[in-house]
Amino acid sequence: MLQLHNTPTKLLEEFTPISDKRVSLYTCGPTVYSTPHVGNWVAYIRWDTLVRTLQANGYLVERVMNITDVGHLTGENEGDADQGEDKLQKGARRDGVTAWRVAERYTQEFLDGMAKLNLLMPAHITKATDFIPQQLALVRTLKEKGFTYQIDDGIYFDTSKFPRYAEFAHLNLASLQAGARVSVNQQKRNPSDFALWKFSPIDEQRDMEWDTPADLTAEKKIRKGFPGWHLECSAMAMDILGETIDIHTGGIDHIPVHHTNEIAQSEAASGKQFAHYWLHNNHLKSDGTKISKSLGNGYTLDDIAAKGFSALDFRLFILQSHYRTESNFTWENLESAKNRMQHWRNIARLRWQTYDTLVDDQEKVATASTESIVNASSAILAALNEDLDTPRALSVIDETFSTIDKRPLTETQQAALVSLLEKLDDLLGLRLLDSTPDISEDQKQLILERQRAREEKDWKQSDVLRDALLAQGITVNDTRYGVVWAKAD
Ligand code: AMP
Ligand code: ZN
């Protein structure tokens, strides 16, 4: 049974999809105006674990993730998400290219990062600019149903016409009204109203703009415009997945504005519940503080690689904390994740050394090591099924691996170990199998020769061979049960 924490009810709820086998999932994706930092990656790693957990429960996941390449304004950070400059247009000025080029460049960077982190590609990765007709159709429906009004800079959603507006995020609209900043557009009927479609400034040509259909405006002259940020998610989710979807995910910062607005416009248009489950990931701090440009603590995957860490070390670091708790990035924390990964990889390498020629797998069934391996797969899935409890899943893995470590290798059933590693890779995407190929025949020969030298008490030769192996990154450990080799990655 899969249980998920549902944001609006604040409860752990049993997951029951709309259809038996298929799960529709929408993930709010990146705004492609700069290189993602460690904090931005958090959400995508978290929701990748969700997809993998759903799949392990036998569901076919149909997932949409948007690429925001227009309409996300800088005013978001100053109290009014409908004001300020388009982040893409700002990026264009910074890079000295068009907004289209900025979108192309950072979309590619994002996709490359996804591959490095071994994140599953959603079936639909959709750009806001490819869904302009669908977004305009949604504005039209809302206009026909009486939810919109026009002011100088665009077409807005009247939140007072949607009585449930405050419910999702448990907002206090009265205090929002009282605390409305001067910076909030005074033409809005309510401070919480939001732009569905914004008009291009009269004195400026935007790189990205479209004709506002005549039936949507009160004006005779065609005005150019662009979609508000929230609109794209509703339009894409409903166009591809249907008016009601199973799960919608995002960062906790999306709850009070972005997702609240998505719900208002989707449900006002369709008259149906937009999503059954809403999941939100908490934020990552960096060096103990909020990630900010001025502090320079928004490290990128390239910064991580430059310090000798892999993207998968970072992935493991993120999995060490629960998605609903705040976590903290430091190089020391990343180092400890890397060490854990190193240990896990060396356990994965044991599958090449399980001495099958000596003892048949079948005869090892009853050993403590095999039992622990066989039980681990279901214990890990059980942890993930409890609201994606990755820290607990990871400690099950540690316990199992330490049992393997402590037992004679001859006891470890190769098939069981391989099957556990496959399961781990499926669930956590750490590529334990891919990253631990067997060593070469020549290297195995060196290990044998060294063993022989030791048997003959030729310590000098044994040291020479040990050094030769070390030069190739291979360490040999003489255990009570024989030689075990490992590698430093
Ligand atoms: P931005 O590109 O700044 O608009 O951020 C895109 C999304 O990344 C935000 O909406 C957040 O959900 C997410 N995000 C930004 N910073 C962090 C962080 N420190 N931890 C987790 N998620 C973050
Ligand atoms: Zn969204």
mmCIF file of all heavy atoms in Angstrom, residues 26 28 233 258-259 262, ligand 2:
data_model
loop_
_atom_site.group_PDB
_atom_site.id
_atom_site.type_symbol
_atom_site.label_atom_id
_atom_site.label_comp_id
_atom_site.label_asym_id
_atom_site.label_seq_id
_atom_site.Cartn_x
_atom_site.Cartn_y
_atom_site.Cartn_z
ATOM 1 N N TYR A 26 1.694 15.267 -12.964
ATOM 2 C CA TYR A 26 2.195 16.527 -13.522
ATOM 3 C C TYR A 26 3.232 17.114 -12.574
ATOM 4 O O TYR A 26 2.988 17.257 -11.378
ATOM 5 C CB TYR A 26 1.052 17.534 -13.717
ATOM 6 C CG TYR A 26 1.520 18.780 -14.431
ATOM 7 C CD1 TYR A 26 1.472 18.867 -15.826
ATOM 8 C CD2 TYR A 26 2.065 19.846 -13.724
ATOM 9 C CE1 TYR A 26 1.941 19.993 -16.488
ATOM 10 C CE2 TYR A 26 2.545 20.969 -14.381
ATOM 11 C CZ TYR A 26 2.476 21.038 -15.752
ATOM 12 O OH TYR A 26 2.956 22.150 -16.417
ATOM 13 N N CYS A 28 5.712 20.447 -11.984
ATOM 14 C CA CYS A 28 6.103 21.794 -12.419
ATOM 15 C C CYS A 28 7.601 21.782 -12.715
ATOM 16 O O CYS A 28 8.412 21.418 -11.864
ATOM 17 C CB CYS A 28 5.792 22.824 -11.339
ATOM 18 S SG CYS A 28 4.038 23.175 -11.232
ATOM 19 N N CYS A 233 0.664 25.581 -16.848
ATOM 20 C CA CYS A 233 0.584 24.284 -16.177
ATOM 21 C C CYS A 233 -0.830 23.710 -16.266
ATOM 22 O O CYS A 233 -1.013 22.527 -16.542
ATOM 23 C CB CYS A 233 1.039 24.400 -14.721
ATOM 24 S SG CYS A 233 2.798 24.770 -14.587
ATOM 25 N N HIS A 258 1.395 29.836 -6.943
ATOM 26 C CA HIS A 258 1.363 29.134 -8.237
ATOM 27 C C HIS A 258 0.336 28.004 -8.256
ATOM 28 O O HIS A 258 -0.503 27.936 -9.156
ATOM 29 C CB HIS A 258 2.762 28.633 -8.567
ATOM 30 C CG HIS A 258 2.869 27.958 -9.899
ATOM 31 N ND1 HIS A 258 2.474 28.574 -11.072
ATOM 32 C CD2 HIS A 258 3.309 26.725 -10.251
ATOM 33 C CE1 HIS A 258 2.671 27.736 -12.080
ATOM 34 N NE2 HIS A 258 3.175 26.607 -11.615
ATOM 35 N N HIS A 259 0.380 27.137 -7.274
ATOM 36 C CA HIS A 259 -0.568 26.009 -7.297
ATOM 37 C C HIS A 259 -1.976 26.437 -6.900
ATOM 38 O O HIS A 259 -2.963 25.909 -7.420
ATOM 39 C CB HIS A 259 -0.049 24.867 -6.402
ATOM 40 C CG HIS A 259 1.093 24.137 -7.048
ATOM 41 N ND1 HIS A 259 1.859 23.212 -6.399
ATOM 42 C CD2 HIS A 259 1.584 24.214 -8.310
ATOM 43 C CE1 HIS A 259 2.789 22.741 -7.236
ATOM 44 N NE2 HIS A 259 2.647 23.348 -8.391
ATOM 45 N N GLU A 262 -3.227 27.722 -10.090
ATOM 46 C CA GLU A 262 -3.496 26.615 -11.034
ATOM 47 C C GLU A 262 -4.840 25.970 -10.726
ATOM 48 O O GLU A 262 -5.631 25.674 -11.620
ATOM 49 C CB GLU A 262 -2.402 25.537 -10.925
ATOM 50 C CG GLU A 262 -1.150 25.821 -11.713
ATOM 51 C CD GLU A 262 -0.236 24.589 -11.736
ATOM 52 O OE1 GLU A 262 -0.738 23.458 -11.887
ATOM 53 O OE2 GLU A 262 0.987 24.767 -11.580
HETATM 54 ZN ZN ZN B 2 3.270 24.740 -12.430
#
